[in-house]
Amino acid sequence: MRHSIFAWPGVSRLATGHSTWIGYCQNKQLSLQQGRRWITSPRVQKLFEGIKEGDRGSLSRGITLVESTRSDHREQARELVAACAQVAQPTRAMRIGLTGTPGVGKSTFIEAFGMMLVNKGHRVSVLAVDPSSKRSGGSVLGDKTRMQELSVAGGAYVRPSPSRGTLGGVARNTLDSIILAEASGYNVCLVETVGVGQSETMVSEMVDMFILLMQPGSGDELQGVKRGIMELADLVVINKADGALASAARQTRTHIMNALHLMVPRKATWTPKAIRASAVTGHNLDRVWDSIQRYFNVLDESGEWDALRREQQQRWMWRE
């Protein structure tokens, strides 16, 4: 079984989401007041208070703690995430996964899109996962350097993490990091994946919305993208739809829409869309955001968002 920090002893396998924490608290007769009673370590208490206050340094140290493999750090990480999971927020944060083949412009798109959201008053966290070397175990972690403007913006937080060989292009503790970021007040969480292929299924199981980035001239609807990834996408964005590639982008969108019409939507209340956009010029970034908002409004009204969060938590807790 995956060594998730959510694997609390004595908690039923059927308990998911916030009910897990509430049930555990009731069993142990602990108070839920701001999560303080979860914490026994002074170090964790200090990190928790800093995270709640929106301190980026505390958030970074907290994520480093949950990524650590040391046994004493794992115990402290359990306390920290349990406390952060109980921090109430005015609105539920949007968890959005983004993937695409190398060269599609994921980092450029995230910086432009993230800055647009920051300028609209949102607080945006970016968890960018870089591939790790199988030989040395090291990782370049270059996403932060490619997001120079977003990484220093007051309403944004960019955190690169190594995948450490985990399939699906996500780090082992990415969901734990999302919970810490949400406790720090970030209401939009973007998870940029390695982009490794059909194993992106893991990403779709830990986010609320899955966005596939493509580039113009990717090929016809059968060869342009792996069918397995296309079936996971809630939204397809054709990036680099500007200049000489504008015409090719329109043709690619037509191919993608034809492919989407042949697939059964993942959600009963939402039909995946395809939008042309440009991270360089800003073309249609507003349309991408409008489509994301409509998606979450539909999920919220239908009750699918609640069900989705329960499924996410259960899958991640008991992943083999």
Side-chain angles (χ1 to χ4, degrees), residues 54 56 115 118 122-124 149-157 186:
R56 288 198 285 188
M115 285 304 302
V118 168
H122 295 279
R123 301 196 72 217
V124 180
E149 188 177 2
L150 186 64
S151 62
V152 297
Y157 174 78
Y186 293 96

Side-chain angles (χ1 to χ4, degrees), residues 216-246:
S218 297
D220 62 30
E221 55 265 50
L222 296 179
Q223 301 297 327
V225 68
K226 295 283 188 180
R227 180 182 177 91
I229 301 179
M230 184 74 84
E231 289 176 333
L232 298 175
D234 299 304
L235 178 66
V236 179
V237 177
I238 300 95
N239 193 25
K240 303 182 180 181
D242 53 62
L245 294 176

Side-chain angles (χ1 to χ4, degrees), residues 10 16 26 78 94 96 102 104 110 152 154 176 241 245 255 274 278 286:
T16 58
Q26 289 173 341
R78 290 187 183 97
M94 300 177 182
I96 304 171
V104 76
I110 289 174
V152 297
D176 309 332
L245 294 176
H255 290 160
S278 170
D286 276 323

Side-chain angles (χ1 to χ4, degrees), residues 195-211:
V196 294
Q198 290 183 333
S199 55
E200 299 294 79
T201 300
M202 184 182 290
V203 183
S204 69
E205 292 179 351
M206 57 179 288
V207 295
D208 304 320
M209 184 179 195
F210 190 64
I211 297 178

Side-chain angles (χ1 to χ4, degrees), residues 5 11 22 77 80 84 90 95 97 113 133 144 169 183 190 201 225-226 229 242 250 253 272 274 277 284 286 290 307:
I5 65 177
V11 178
I22 294 173
L80 181 61
C84 288
R95 301 174 180 176
F113 185 65
S133 169
K144 195 167 185 176
L190 305 177
T201 300
V225 68
K226 295 283 188 180
I229 301 179
D242 53 62
R250 285 192 289 270
R253 180 183 180 276
N284 273 351
D286 276 323
D290 289 342

Side-chain angles (χ1 to χ4, degrees), residues 22-40:
I22 294 173
Y24 185 81
C25 269
Q26 289 173 341
N27 291 340
K28 299 300 182 181
Q29 296 181 338
L30 298 175
S31 169
L32 288 179
Q33 183 178 4
Q34 298 300 319
R36 288 187 178 88
R37 297 293 182 86
W38 289 99
I39 299 172
T40 60

Side-chain angles (χ1 to χ4, degrees), residues 24-290:
Y24 185 81
C25 269
Q26 289 173 341
N27 291 340
K28 299 300 182 181
Q29 296 181 338
L30 298 175
S31 169
L32 288 179
Q33 183 178 4
Q34 298 300 319
R36 288 187 178 88
R37 297 293 182 86
W38 289 99
I39 299 172
T40 60
S41 166
R43 177 195 181 193
V44 176
Q45 179 66 42
K46 184 177 180 180
L47 282 177
F48 175 62
E49 294 296 340
I51 289 172
K52 280 205 312 173
E53 293 170 3
D55 178 62
R56 288 198 285 188
S58 296
L59 178 57
S60 294
R61 289 188 291 273
I63 293 177
T64 298
L65 180 66
V66 301
E67 289 178 346
S68 175
T69 57
R70 281 177 43 175
S71 58
D72 56 331
H73 287 176
R74 301 308 301 152
E75 184 61 37
Q76 293 176 359
R78 290 187 183 97
E79 294 183 358
L80 181 61
V81 177
C84 288
Q86 294 304 319
V87 176
Q89 298 296 337
T91 58
R92 178 181 287 175
M94 300 177 182
R95 301 174 180 176
I96 304 171
L98 294 101
T99 192
T101 57
V104 76
K106 292 189 295 293
S107 297
T108 304
F109 177 85
I110 289 174
E111 169 151 73
F113 185 65
M115 285 304 302
M116 182 192 73
L117 295 183
V118 168
N119 292 332
K120 289 177 178 290
H122 295 279
R123 301 196 72 217
V124 180
S125 65
V126 179
L127 303 176
V129 184
D130 274 2
S132 298
S133 169
K134 290 186 177 180
R135 296 182 62 185
S136 67
S139 184
V140 176
L141 301 179
D143 291 281
K144 195 167 185 176
T145 62
R146 291 193 292 267
M147 304 179 194
Q148 296 182 8
E149 188 177 2
L150 186 64
S151 62
V152 297
Y157 174 78
V158 179
R159 169 74 182 210
S161 297
S163 66
R164 295 176 180 172
T166 305
L167 289 177
V170 292
R172 182 170 62 96
N173 301 104
T174 299
L175 182 57
D176 309 332
S177 300
I178 290 175
I179 291 175
L180 266 60
E182 291 176 350
S184 200
Y186 293 96
N187 67 316
V188 178
C189 183
L190 305 177
V191 181
E192 179 192 357
T193 73
V194 174
V196 294
Q198 290 183 333
S199 55
E200 299 294 79
T201 300
M202 184 182 290
V203 183
S204 69
E205 292 179 351
M206 57 179 288
V207 295
D208 304 320
M209 184 179 195
F210 190 64
I211 297 178
L212 173 64
L213 293 180
M214 296 186 66
Q215 53 189 334
S218 297
D220 62 30
E221 55 265 50
L222 296 179
Q223 301 297 327
V225 68
K226 295 283 188 180
R227 180 182 177 91
I229 301 179
M230 184 74 84
E231 289 176 333
L232 298 175
D234 299 304
L235 178 66
V236 179
V237 177
I238 300 95
N239 193 25
K240 303 182 180 181
D242 53 62
L245 294 176
S247 176
R250 285 192 289 270
Q251 186 177 19
T252 300
R253 180 183 180 276
T254 301
H255 290 160
I256 292 172
M257 290 301 298
N258 291 339
L260 291 174
H261 288 155
L262 298 175
M263 298 179 184
V264 179
R266 288 203 306 156
K267 299 176 179 67
T269 56
W270 176 259
T271 301
K273 310 288 191 296
I275 300 175
R276 294 177 294 112
S278 170
V280 174
T281 66
H283 174 63
N284 273 351
L285 291 185
D286 276 323
R287 284 193 60 194
V288 173
W289 177 237
D290 289 342

Side-chain angles (χ1 to χ4, degrees), residues 298-308 310:
V298 167
L299 255 64
D300 192 28
E301 293 172 0
S302 67
E304 285 188 86
W305 202 353
D306 293 328
L308 186 61
R310 289 192 295 269

